[in-house]
Amino acid sequence: MKKFTLEEFFEVLKKYNVEEIQGVKIEGDLEIELEGSAIDLSNLLPVMNLINELANFFYHAKMTLTYLQRISSMLGIQIPIQLPLVQPEIKPAVPEIKLVPEVKLPPEIKLPEKLLDLKFKPYRAEWPGKIEEVKLGATKSEGGTREYIVTLGGERALAFYTFDSSQPNLPVVAIDVFDKPPALAKSVKVHYEDVLNDPAEWAKKCVKKFGADLVTIHLISTDPLLENRPAKEAAKTVEDVLQAVKCPIIVGGSGNKDKDPEVLEKAAEVSEGERVMLASATLDMDWERIANAAKKHGHVILSWTQLDINNQKTLNRYLLRRAKVPRNSLVMDPTTAALGYGLDYAFTNMERIRMSGLKGDEDLNFPISSGTTNAWGAREAWMTESPIKDDTPWGPRELRGPIWEIVTGLTLALAGVDMFMMMHPVAVATLKEIFNTLGGKSKFEVKDLDAWINMEV
Amino acid sequence: MTLKVKSPLEIYNLLPKTNCKECGYDTCMSFAAHILDRTAKVFDCKPLVRDAEKDPKAKEALQKILDLTAPEIAEVVIGVGSSAIKIGGEEVLHRHEQTFYNPTAFFFDVWDTMDDKKIEERCDWVVSYKKFYVGKFLTLEGIAVRCTSNDPKRFAEVAKKVSEYGKPMILISLDPKCMEAALKEVSEKRPLIYAATEKNWKEFLKLALDYKVPVTIRCKNLDLLKSMAATFRQAGVKDIVLDPVTEPVGQGLKATFERVIQIRRAAIENGDKDVAYPIIVTPISAWLLDGDNVTKSYWETVIGGIFIVKYADAMILHSTEQHVVMPLITLRFNIYTDPRTPVQVQPGLRAIGNPSPEDPVFITTNFALTYYTVESDLTSANIKGWLLVLNTDGICVEASVAGGRFTASKVKSLLEETKIAEKVNHKYLIIPGLAARLQGQIEDETGWKVLVGPIDSGRIKGWLEKNWPPKK
């Protein structure tokens, strides 16, 4: 292979009395290659080869063949190349060729003087369905002693898509309270250390200090594997909490399938008239007993399933059709998995449930509750440092923990969650600010939006 | 919706239909189905590609398949070589409708009035960042260079310096002179330029064309944003990224949320090709707020989180703190995981670190996340042992215990199938702390002595120090 530069090629052309090649513009340092080691310039064959090669080159460079044809006609030879050439009706003024579809001229760079004037047409989604509105708590006029009630649901569009339809009720936050000190991540525990042994004081702190809209009293001491506290005694704690705070409350069991129906039944009894939420009924327990207690005493029931839209549908159906729970008294917990620990499942499951509800599935159009405290199960939230030796250091856990709860919560808020059960005060405050913001209620403002481009931080 | 292909048949009809298997699939129909769900590329059909070189008909067929299967949202490449990234290329509004394809690319900023040493530190950090997750390390994509000097020479110098790290770049300056100076140095690295605006669009259009680089168009007004994108496209610019301007708080953030969603919905639902481009969001805008650094970095994470879930294809971030980076990189992984592929590993027995018959036997689930966490924790801590992997259909320990997929009888079968009793000289099984309630049942069913391990496998090392070998 001998490499041949274009310059040399022009030298060759000169020998054959080609004085100039009009309009051929060569850019860059181009080379063409020739077969054969020695080139005999005494006959025309190499020139034809050259033209052939050059044609290929021009072909690949998407340049016009016009010039080649002109060269060849100047040389008085036929172009021996195999391209599907339509014969040379050449108009040099218009260097445009339609012979080979692949050959495109480089687009003429002609800058527009002004912008096109187009209108952006937004898409508007309309859903046939509506999420049920569920009220928690009862004021004096409604037969209870709460100072206010909380309304969940009522959406006719995806979460915060107020440009499709207004969102009557923004999500709310319930802070967790336990009737015996649970295992807590250190950065959570520090905020509750003074009240860990007093659920009523604990509940007060949640409302007064941390801005909870509701509190959840978890009766974990009733677990037969822990203290096995009798249901009747546990119900007293519920009464204490109702005394201590004036917000609507949620009553949680211990998660023991056998004991919970009894515990929640007693709790329902002592809180009659207050319209609490009983948390929760699951498929593998006596859900009917809990549903009956809710109905009898005018409470709301939480229907809890494990990351499975079909199970959620099934349990809701049982509660609605078999146990005849009123449609305004059902909330769903489709399970919250933490950021990094199955959040993708939890998010998509909730998003699908919400979209089914909006599409008109009457087994799924209920408000959604999330146990966002589960975020603290993620090791990134509580471990002092990564156990993986090649990880970039994790930084202070005091800062990682709350943000883990926040991001878990905000992701699920976008999937459609109406109520968040949480623990860290910073996470609570941040999430509430996010709801206010996306709900269009935040007043903060930044004037110069370009300033970050030049800021020296 | 746009006129998109719905059935593999439409693609099949354009293929050679010879079932030659050169593409790796048994039939042209199966290949067509894989092209449709984007698990195969039409260029894998070698006969068609060969024919297209000489046969105009084949060429037309090839082009038609490409048109039919072009993603709803244009795909834009930033950078060159092995570190180049694609952004955009999305098809759907909700991940369960198919999957999201190209994860939101993270660009961390440096600015040109920073001293060189600091710039190097930040670039080194971007290049070396690692977070272990589900069997591999998550990493960061790129570096955004802001021109704060207003000096073309300095901006070019810093752009050049940063380009040597080999990462995709965004060049940030609204001044065409500064931008051109930087492009002269690094345009062959295919940086994304940021940004054309209502004021400078002519100059930026020329830069995008002259230097053949992708360009960001920045504008709050969507009519104008669309008009600029269409103008650029008409002038020959294909690689466009839209920045509908990130307002960091209040009504502004709410409006940003609306703009981003409306752009993506108009592209996918209305088939508006003038806005069917990748979207860039700038959580760095949170640093315009008043407040301390923790507040700003938290809010930056919030903005990042919102728009990882909702349609940002690239973002510019400022904080390099782990409480910002770790949640965002994890969230991105979660949202962009293909929901069609189950995240499970093979059940069975794994030998960790060449174990001997004295070493402990652990059991965990075949949920990929759980498995890889446990496996890497054991390996990282230099623990030798036998790890039994139970088939729980890819469900984690807690949920599989609650949901009846992690049961004593399944543990018994696994012990038998793996013949673990022949490999060790003891009968102690360590179960996850979250499966503690199964302790008795497993002992009854299997005859093995069951020890309840820690709730988190990161604590196995400490646990073993106290509990292994077991006291007789």
Side-chain angles (χ1 to χ4, degrees), chain A residues 317-357:
Chain A
R317 261 198 195 154
Y318 288 169
L319 294 171
L320 293 165
R321 307 216 181 131
R322 295 201 195 164
K324 305 265 189 279
V325 170
R327 294 188 64 82
N328 66 2
S329 303
L330 181 78
V331 175
M332 306 180 282
D333 180 355
T335 294
T336 291
L339 172 61
Y341 295 82
L343 181 64
D344 40 344
Y345 293 99
F347 171 79
T348 284
N349 186 45
M350 289 179 184
E351 192 179 44
R352 288 181 64 203
I353 287 172
R354 173 49 50 94
M355 287 171 73
S356 300

Side-chain angles (χ1 to χ4, degrees), chain A residues 120 162 348 379 450 455, chain B residues 95 146 218 223 254 377:
Chain A
F120 177 82
T162 50
T348 284
R379 54 167 58 175
D450 291 346
M455 72 182 177
Chain B
R95 61 190 288 276
R146 292 190 288 121
R218 174 176 163 86
D223 290 336
K254 163 85 180 157
D377 284 348

Side-chain angles (χ1 to χ4, degrees), chain A residues 89-277:
Chain A
E89 210 233 304
I90 301 153
K91 295 177 193 160
V94 189
E96 191 190 325
I97 275 208
K98 289 170 191 149
L99 310 177
V100 193
E102 291 89 338
V103 177
K104 283 182 197 150
L105 287 170
E108 182 87 352
I109 297 180
K110 198 180 152 209
L111 293 174
E113 276 310 304
K114 53 181 217 189
L115 290 171
L116 297 167
D117 185 13
L118 303 177
K119 286 274 169 276
F120 177 82
K121 187 171 163 282
Y123 175 84
R124 175 111 191 273
E126 282 188 58
W127 302 88
K130 179 190 169 210
I131 307 307
E132 295 286 352
E133 280 199 340
V134 174
K135 293 186 193 314
L136 294 176
T139 59
K140 210 170 166 191
S141 64
E142 291 145 330
T145 61
R146 307 295 91 198
E147 269 172 9
Y148 59 88
I149 63 164
V150 163
T151 308
L152 307 176
E155 296 93 341
R156 290 177 174 278
L158 295 177
F160 309 111
Y161 281 36
T162 50
F163 32 90
D164 285 337
S165 173
S166 67
Q167 185 160 341
N169 306 295
L170 291 180
V172 295
V173 174
I175 299 185
D176 294 318
V177 174
F178 297 83
D179 70 343
K180 97 184 249 313
L184 291 175
K186 201 176 164 204
S187 6
V188 174
K189 201 171 177 179
V190 291
H191 297 283
Y192 298 104
E193 233 141 20
D194 51 335
V195 292
L196 280 177
N197 291 302
D198 188 341
E201 283 306 309
W202 189 339
K204 261 192 207 164
K205 189 171 188 183
C206 293
V207 177
K208 294 217 169 103
K209 198 142 180 236
F210 302 144
D213 300 306
L214 310 90
V215 293
T216 306
I217 172 69
H218 296 275
L219 303 171
I220 55 171
S221 69
T222 59
D223 192 331
L225 299 173
L226 292 169
E227 285 175 19
N228 200 14
R229 199 162 159 233
K232 212 171 161 187
E233 269 179 50
K236 281 194 188 124
T237 307
V238 176
E239 289 177 292
D240 291 346
V241 171
L242 280 167
Q243 281 290 323
V245 295
K246 292 294 154 204
C247 64
I249 73 160
I250 298 158
V251 182
S254 67
N256 184 292
K257 314 280 180 208
D258 302 318
K259 183 91 177 273
D260 272 3
E262 183 197 346
V263 171
L264 294 176
E265 195 176 62
K266 273 276 167 289
E269 231 172 85
V270 300
S271 52
E272 164 140 341
E274 301 287 7
R275 199 165 171 75
V276 305
M277 182 163 85

Side-chain angles (χ1 to χ4, degrees), chain B residues 96-244:
Chain B
H96 64 264
E97 293 164 348
Q98 198 172 93
T99 183
F100 291 154
Y101 286 94
N102 296 318
T104 316
F106 292 168
F107 289 85
F108 288 83
D109 76 325
V110 297
W111 53 102
D112 66 357
T113 48
M114 239 180 173
D115 66 59
D116 286 7
K117 205 166 155 261
K118 285 248 171 62
I119 293 176
E120 283 161 25
E121 272 171 28
R122 273 178 90 88
C123 292
D124 283 338
W125 174 84
V126 171
V127 171
S128 62
Y129 182 89
K130 279 203 286 188
K131 166 74 175 81
F132 185 80
Y133 188 68
V134 204
K136 59 179 184 181
F137 283 97
L138 307 180
T139 56
L140 305 173
E141 289 67 41
I143 302 166
V145 188
R146 292 190 288 121
C147 178
T148 47
S149 65
N150 240 347
D151 171 9
K153 206 172 136 245
R154 174 62 183 162
F155 188 46
E157 184 182 299
V158 173
K160 177 106 201 307
K161 188 182 183 62
V162 171
S163 76
E164 279 152 16
Y165 286 83
K167 285 279 184 183
M169 283 195 290
I170 302 180
L171 300 176
I172 303 177
S173 172
L174 302 182
D175 175 5
K177 283 200 192 71
C178 291
M179 189 58 81
E180 176 147 29
L183 281 174
K184 277 192 175 134
E185 290 291 339
V186 302
S187 67
E188 80 282 1
K189 296 288 169 64
R190 208 179 152 77
L192 170 66
I193 57 173
Y194 185 105
T197 63
E198 198 184 350
K199 284 181 195 147
N200 69 15
W201 69 268
K202 272 186 201 170
E203 291 91 338
F204 267 72
L205 172 55
K206 188 162 184 321
L207 289 174
L209 287 167
D210 287 351
Y211 292 91
K212 300 183 179 58
V213 287
V215 59
T216 312
I217 300 176
R218 174 176 163 86
C219 184
K220 258 171 84 175
N221 176 321
L222 296 189
D223 290 336
L224 200 52
L225 184 70
K226 173 175 170 165
S227 301
M228 281 203 266
T231 307
F232 274 48
R233 182 71 193 86
Q234 210 173 62
V237 179
K238 270 192 195 151
D239 296 315
I240 294 170
V241 176
L242 303 177
D243 175 15

Side-chain angles (χ1 to χ4, degrees), chain A residues 68-109:
Chain A
L68 267 180
Q69 285 163 329
R70 193 186 302 160
I71 294 163
S72 59
S73 68
M74 280 188 278
L75 290 168
I77 50 174
Q78 290 280 314
I79 293 182
I81 49 178
Q82 296 302 307
L83 292 170
L85 286 177
V86 174
Q87 264 317 305
E89 210 233 304
I90 301 153
K91 295 177 193 160
V94 189
E96 191 190 325
I97 275 208
K98 289 170 191 149
L99 310 177
V100 193
E102 291 89 338
V103 177
K104 283 182 197 150
L105 287 170
E108 182 87 352
I109 297 180

Side-chain angles (χ1 to χ4, degrees), chain A residues 277 301-305 312 316 330-335 353-354 363-370:
Chain A
M277 182 163 85
I301 191 166
L302 185 62
S303 164
W304 180 28
T305 56
Q312 188 68 59
N316 289 358
L330 181 78
V331 175
M332 306 180 282
D333 180 355
T335 294
I353 287 172
R354 173 49 50 94
D363 293 329
L364 290 171
N365 64 334
F366 298 94
I368 301 175
S369 172
S370 154

